[in-house]
Amino acid sequence: MKPLLLLITLITTLNAASEPYIFTNNDGKTLEDTIIKYDIEKEEVLLENNGRQPLSLFSETDQRYILQWNQLNGFLSTMRFKLTLDKDRWARMKQEQNRTPVYIALDRRPHFDTLIHQTTPLEEYEEYSSIELDAVGFSLKLRNQNFFPLENITVQSKAIYEETLFQTSDSFYESESDLFDEIITEQRVRVREESISMLVPLEEITVHSATAILTEQKLDRTLLTSEEEEEEEDTSSIEGGDWSDHNRDREDDFVGVWFRIGIPDPSGQLTWRHISYPDDLFEELIWDEL
Amino acid sequence: MKNPKRKRQLIGSSAALISLIVHIILLSLAGGIVALRYFNKTPATFEVTEQKKLERRQLDIPVQVEPFMQQMSKPARKTTSRITANAPQMVNIPQQGTYVEMAPMPTFKSSYTNFIQTDRTMIMKSKYRETGYGLSAVDFFGTRGKAEKVLLIVDASPAMVSEDRGGLFAYQTLNEELRLIVDNFRSSTLFNLILHDHDHVAHYQPALVPATAHHKTNLLDWVASINTNVAQLGLNKTEATSIIPTGNYELPVTQTDMTGWLKSAQLATTMQPEIIFFLSGDWGSITDPDTDLSYFARKNKLNQYLDQRLETLLSDEDVAEEWEEMSLELEELVPVTEKMLELENQARFDELLDPKIVAYADEILWENDVDIPDWILLEEPEEVGIYTADTRYTFEEIMQTLFVFTMEIYQERGFPEMNFVLLEKGGSSLNNSAETASLLTSTEKYELLTDMLDARFRIIDAEDPIDNVLDQNIYDIMDMLEEEAEEELL
């Protein structure tokens, strides 16, 4: 349903640009006709009923209308105004470590107000902890293959991803709770907007989306002693109780990126072209609802 | 037909004879034609012409002719163990910074911000600079880098001049080093300095400025005025702290919990330098002076935990009694601490030394081997309702915070270069401790951080620790206090 709607919108936009228009010449005489084509070299406009007419024949307002119509026509052409989307990774970091988990007791010393700590290593356990951070971004190449410049281009993008969060801290005591490995997922939408005042013929410009920051985190506490040994040992409460292995992980999910590129139509309203990753993302989602 | 067989034989013989005769005629004709053609053709003849010999001319200018082999001047053949016949050609690898010269050429086939290359460093460098003239080689306490936009972040907290780091003298040494670093900046290098003291962060200028003589002098004067007086350590809290614009991305660490180098880094990224150098004394907002355990605290949770912990302790009558006793003992130690400090400072004054810098209130008691009552541990920590792990941020949360606020600003330019220097305490013997094994100390955490960022990290030794002039005895002090009290009564 959505693709059909978009197609209708596009056709309507094109039709709107090709609707009959009442032109006025320099002497104030009017003429109702529809533009078929504009020749930038000869500065002639081809009208449906009145054939070729020089641009200078029209009033200044209509000249602007014709040029704007031509620009929109060039903008909407996928051949003459090319869009290429590329996925990129702008930064990536990873840290993993094996360590002895600890329980840190703390208190404030009365009358001195100093914080005191006591660190108890939980030597029965080995903890593997890792974090991987990824800054994913997209670059959009805009290439003007028209014989005329395109002006006042607006590029908006939305990078969408799902961020995951642990519900509890990594406390040993929390590890006994059901919520320890539970995660909350929240959708993040990062918006970026850029304006390009002019794209001259054969010029290629690259604009970028906002970055989607994806995190992957793992925590894996392994009990080093066997169950029999564990039974023999007296595991005091400070050592984290007598629960066995516990682990949890979370991984953010990249949904996609949606670029919309707009240019003012003859009425001054922005007409948009869309490109996304995955290709059908912009057909499935609604821009204003993101 | 009397004899038909004989008749068939005669017919067959005649036919064969006729065929033979026709063939002979045809062959004779063909042979005749060929013979006629061959004999009519004139035979081919070779004409021998005498070729003229070129006369050798005498050279007008005498030239010394060398043998060809000598001209080539080939080296003597050598036998090598190499398998490949040709030696690899020398390749000119550009020095760091030389690409700058070709960086900002405006072309139509370019990105909006000029470059589309796979080499992120090149993109980064090219975007930052217009010319290569401002490129400065920086050696920041042993960590090196080359850039046009440099930001220095220096810890100015009182911990940097603690007694175990050599006191005020430690900062003087750092200042001297900083003076050399700043002096070496080219005038077209853009730079700035951020100082931090826990929550308080102050910048020299709100944006990067050219390293002109004027700015260099002003900056160094500003730094030189800090940590010079024991009565006024750290940053001047009356001065407004720098306002750090917060971004739109969610950070694991809240803005109120962001302190020290992390808070400074957030401010630094808004200025978008190419390289950031950090000089810090500790990792987090809380550092245990005894074990060097360091972490960023969740301040609200921490205060809440401490209050609830006390409440839990006091809810048990027996424990409450024990706690009251401990509290009384500690209360009695307060005047002892003050007296010890007073005497120590008096002794230092007599020896023309700076007064003692107190890192934490009961420090002097430890130094004079005063028995401090043990604190009461909770038998059931979960009774508090808040776990101690909730009162601090994990290393991973700090990493994520740094990555997120940096990449929010830098985006397609990639993560900037960051180098870290840690001013370690003198006489530190923290190896193999529980904190080290669990990667909880400042040193361990910075090592993990720099490993992750692929950054340079250096630990610099502090000056020799300052020892107390006096070796005080608690009983003497208590007697002294009693005498003073009696005198007052009289």
Side-chain angles (χ1 to χ4, degrees):
Chain A
M1 192 62 194
K2 278 290 298 292
L4 189 68
L5 200 71
L6 279 163
L7 191 69
I8 292 166
T9 316
L10 189 66
I11 292 165
T12 318
T13 315
L14 284 167
N15 280 345
S18 309
E19 271 178 5
Y21 180 79
I22 300 165
F23 295 98
T24 314
N25 71 2
N26 291 324
D27 302 330
K29 288 179 183 172
T30 58
L31 164 75
E32 187 173 348
D33 212 332
T34 308
I35 309 174
I36 304 293
K37 194 185 167 188
Y38 175 73
D39 191 327
I40 192 103
E41 283 184 2
K42 293 179 183 170
E43 294 193 348
E44 278 179 356
V45 60
L46 177 65
L47 299 172
E48 195 177 37
N49 300 322
N50 293 279
R52 291 183 184 280
Q53 300 293 336
L55 183 69
S56 54
L57 194 76
F58 299 89
S59 67
E60 272 186 28
T61 319
D62 286 357
Q63 284 187 21
R64 273 201 301 277
Y65 173 86
I66 292 162
L67 292 173
Q68 200 68 44
W69 178 91
N70 184 53
Q71 188 173 249
L72 180 64
N73 206 30
F75 170 79
L76 291 172
S77 163
T78 51
M79 288 296 289
R80 286 183 284 147
F81 183 56
K82 283 195 170 182
L83 304 175
T84 319
L85 192 61
D86 289 312
K87 191 180 179 183
D88 207 348
R89 179 178 276 151
W90 293 332
R92 189 183 193 186
M93 284 170 193
K94 189 177 181 182
Q95 175 59 248
E96 54 186 347
Q97 45 188 295
N98 279 304
R99 60 192 176 198
T100 309
V102 286
Y103 174 74
I104 302 170
L106 74 145
D107 195 10
R108 186 184 282 141
R109 181 164 283 142
H111 306 291
F112 285 93
D113 218 26
T114 47
L115 266 182
I116 38 177
H117 300 84
Q118 191 189 64
T119 311
T120 311
L122 309 173
E123 282 164 358
E124 290 82 17
Y125 289 87
E126 188 183 59
E127 186 175 89
Y128 168 79
S129 173
S130 79
I131 185 163
E132 190 174 336
L133 296 156
D134 244 328
V136 175
F138 282 77
S139 57
L140 176 69
K141 279 181 198 157
L142 314 170
R143 186 174 168 81
N144 181 15
Q145 299 195 149
N146 288 290
F147 294 118
F148 49 86
L150 295 174
E151 291 175 8
N152 302 321
I153 301 169
T154 304
V155 183
Q156 293 177 348
S157 65
K158 286 186 178 180
I160 309 138
Y161 60 101
E162 285 176 346
E163 190 175 356
T164 51
L165 305 156
F166 289 130
Q167 285 210 42
T168 67
S169 71
D170 66 350
S171 164
F172 243 69
Y173 294 93
E174 289 282 21
S175 64
E176 206 185 24
S177 79
D178 295 334
L179 295 173
F180 185 69
D181 56 357
E182 287 292 307
I183 51 169
I184 308 163
T185 306
E186 287 184 13
Q187 193 183 66
R188 307 284 187 217
V189 180
R190 308 298 179 197
V191 185
R192 193 164 172 182
E193 183 170 335
E194 286 189 59
S195 297
I196 303 161
S197 55
M198 186 186 279
L199 205 59
V200 300
L202 299 180
E203 186 178 5
E204 188 177 278
I205 271 179
T206 304
V207 289
H208 300 94
S209 71
T211 184
I213 296 175
L214 308 175
T215 312
E216 191 181 342
Q217 197 181 348
K218 278 183 187 167
L219 179 73
D220 192 350
R221 289 202 188 106
T222 315
L223 188 64
L224 298 172
T225 52
S226 66
E227 283 182 15
E228 288 165 14
E229 282 173 320
E230 193 192 347
E231 279 172 17
E232 285 169 18
E233 278 182 20
D234 176 29
T235 49
S236 66
S237 60
I238 208 168
E239 287 168 340
D242 56 356
W243 45 87
S244 58
D245 295 4
H246 44 272
N247 51 61
R248 60 181 185 176
D249 56 86
R250 66 182 181 99
E251 187 177 356
D252 296 350
D253 188 26
F254 184 71
V255 177
V257 70
W258 180 351
F259 277 90
R260 68 173 190 177
I261 308 99
I263 200 165
D265 65 12
S267 66
Q269 296 293 311
L270 283 173
T271 300
W272 299 101
R273 274 183 65 182
H274 302 268
I275 189 165
S276 67
Y277 174 90
D279 295 344
D280 54 354
L281 183 86
F282 73 89
E283 292 166 1
E284 290 170 358
L285 303 172
I286 297 164
W287 181 272
D288 293 330
E289 287 180 7
L290 287 170
Chain B
M1 302 295 279
K2 285 182 181 176
N3 197 354
K5 193 177 175 183
R6 172 83 180 154
K7 195 178 179 180
R8 279 200 296 274
Q9 279 179 345
L10 278 170
I11 294 166
S13 307
S14 307
L17 189 68
I18 293 162
S19 170
L20 191 66
I21 293 162
V22 170
H23 274 91
I24 290 165
I25 293 164
L26 284 171
L27 279 168
S28 307
L29 275 169
I33 292 163
V34 171
L36 278 170
R37 285 204 161 202
Y38 176 77
F39 288 114
N40 285 341
K41 200 175 177 183
T42 52
T45 53
F46 290 97
E47 284 181 22
V48 180
T49 53
E50 194 184 346
Q51 291 204 353
K52 286 182 179 177
K53 281 186 180 177
L54 288 173
E55 286 181 15
R56 282 183 180 273
R57 282 187 179 179
Q58 289 297 317
L59 287 166
D60 295 335
I61 306 162
V63 174
Q64 191 182 356
V65 179
E66 281 182 1
F68 178 71
M69 289 302 284
Q70 275 186 26
Q71 280 184 39
M72 291 293 286
S73 65
K74 268 189 180 176
R77 185 177 291 177
K78 285 178 186 173
T79 309
T80 63
S81 58
R82 283 166 43 79
I83 298 169
T84 50
N86 299 319
Q89 285 187 336
M90 289 292 283
V91 178
N92 282 329
I93 301 167
Q95 292 293 313
Q96 191 182 6
T98 51
Y99 48 76
V100 194
E101 289 157 18
M102 59 187 176
M105 294 302 289
T107 55
F108 284 142
K109 190 171 182 180
S110 64
S111 74
Y112 192 46
T113 38
N114 252 353
F115 276 86
I116 320 163
Q117 300 284 336
T118 48
D119 184 354
R120 292 257 145 254
T121 320
M122 189 176 270
I123 297 171
M124 185 88 172
K125 306 281 183 198
S126 62
K127 277 173 187 165
Y128 278 117
R129 61 180 60 107
E130 298 301 322
T131 62
Y133 299 116
L135 204 68
S136 283
V138 188
D139 184 341
F140 186 79
F141 299 96
T143 61
R144 294 183 178 90
K146 214 173 196 180
E148 277 191 343
K149 295 185 177 182
V150 184
L151 207 139
L152 311 176
I153 295 176
V154 176
D155 189 346
S157 65
M160 292 292 279
V161 288
S162 61
E163 299 265 299
D164 47 13
R165 286 196 170 100
L168 296 178
F169 184 61
Y171 220 78
Q172 280 171 25
T173 317
L174 294 178
N175 269 342
E176 286 307 313
E177 189 73 20
L178 205 60
R179 182 175 295 278
L180 290 174
I181 294 162
V182 171
D183 277 344
N184 282 335
F185 283 145
R186 290 187 181 186
S187 59
S188 47
T189 298
L190 295 173
F191 82 128
N192 205 348
L193 174 77
I194 296 172
L195 297 176
H196 60 85
D197 175 6
H198 296 96
D199 291 329
H200 207 86
V201 169
H203 53 248
Y204 166 63
Q205 290 289 323
L208 297 173
V209 289
T212 55
H214 165 77
H215 278 305
K216 284 179 182 177
T217 313
N218 283 356
L219 181 139
L220 292 168
D221 283 352
W222 177 48
V223 182
S225 66
I226 292 158
N227 283 334
T228 50
N229 181 4
V230 177
Q232 172 60 55
L233 293 176
L235 291 178
N236 187 355
K237 306 293 189 297
T238 55
E239 282 178 23
T241 187
S242 303
I243 296 160
I244 300 165
T246 50
N248 296 318
Y249 285 50
E250 293 77 12
L251 301 172
V253 179
T254 64
Q255 215 56 47
T256 47
D257 292 336
M258 199 104 71
T259 59
W261 67 268
L262 192 63
K263 192 174 183 176
S264 304
Q266 195 184 18
L267 175 63
T269 52
T270 62
M271 299 178 193
Q272 303 186 37
E274 288 169 80
I275 189 166
I276 307 172
F277 291 96
F278 296 82
L279 170 65
S280 310
D282 296 309
W283 167 266
S285 55
I286 289 176
T287 302
D288 188 295
D290 202 23
T291 57
D292 203 28
L293 162 75
S294 190
Y295 58 89
F296 283 90
R298 294 174 191 267
K299 290 173 192 167
N300 286 337
K301 276 272 181 200
L302 179 65
N303 289 327
Q304 213 179 328
Y305 171 81
L306 293 168
D307 293 344
Q308 286 194 25
R309 185 182 192 277
L310 183 60
E311 210 173 289
T312 311
L313 281 174
L314 298 178
S315 63
D316 185 324
E317 281 184 13
D318 294 338
V319 178
E321 204 174 309
E322 196 184 337
W323 189 88
E324 284 296 333
E325 278 176 30
M326 180 198 72
S327 180
L328 274 171
E329 279 183 57
L330 285 167
E331 197 176 357
E332 283 172 14
L333 286 175
V334 174
V336 175
T337 311
E338 286 165 1
K339 192 69 192 169
M340 279 182 166
L341 192 62
E342 185 193 323
L343 293 171
E344 174 64 27
N345 280 338
Q346 184 59 50
R348 290 192 185 200
F349 180 76
D350 295 341
E351 293 192 18
L352 302 173
L353 294 169
D354 287 324
K356 183 175 174 64
I357 295 165
V358 182
Y360 53 107
D362 46 1
E363 183 185 9
I364 200 159
L365 296 177
W366 288 99
E367 287 167 352
N368 287 294
D369 298 326
V370 176
D371 281 336
I372 300 172
D374 276 343
W375 54 309
I376 303 162
L377 286 170
L378 283 165
E379 283 185 16
E380 301 289 341
E382 60 267 45
E383 282 180 3
V384 180
I386 301 170
Y387 298 115
T388 54
D390 291 320
T391 65
R392 59 181 185 270
Y393 291 97
T394 61
F395 173 78
E396 287 77 16
E397 283 169 322
I398 303 300
M399 285 302 86
Q400 195 181 340
T401 304
L402 175 68
F403 189 82
V404 172
F405 69 62
T406 307
M407 286 312 296
E408 185 182 355
I409 302 242
Y410 281 72
Q411 304 263 347
E412 68 276 6
R413 285 167 295 174
F415 203 87
E417 198 177 336
M418 291 183 182
N419 291 332
F420 292 81
V421 177
L422 177 70
L423 179 68
E424 205 169 48
K425 290 172 189 170
S428 180
S429 58
L430 297 162
N431 291 332
N432 305 321
S433 71
E435 289 75 18
T436 307
S438 307
L439 313 174
L440 296 169
T441 63
S442 293
T443 316
E444 297 292 336
K445 284 184 173 170
Y446 276 116
E447 271 178 11
L448 290 174
L449 167 72
T450 47
D451 179 45
M452 187 167 180
L453 302 182
D454 198 19
R456 293 182 181 90
F457 175 54
R458 192 164 175 241
I459 300 169
I460 51 169
D461 294 330
E463 299 296 324
D464 292 335
I466 300 172
D467 294 326
N468 287 336
V469 176
L470 300 178
D471 188 8
Q472 303 182 68
N473 184 296
I474 184 173
Y475 302 109
D476 296 342
I477 301 294
M478 285 174 98
D479 289 344
M480 208 180 285
L481 285 169
E482 270 179 34
E483 281 171 23
E484 280 176 7
E486 280 170 17
E487 277 175 23
E488 270 182 34
L489 281 173
L490 288 169

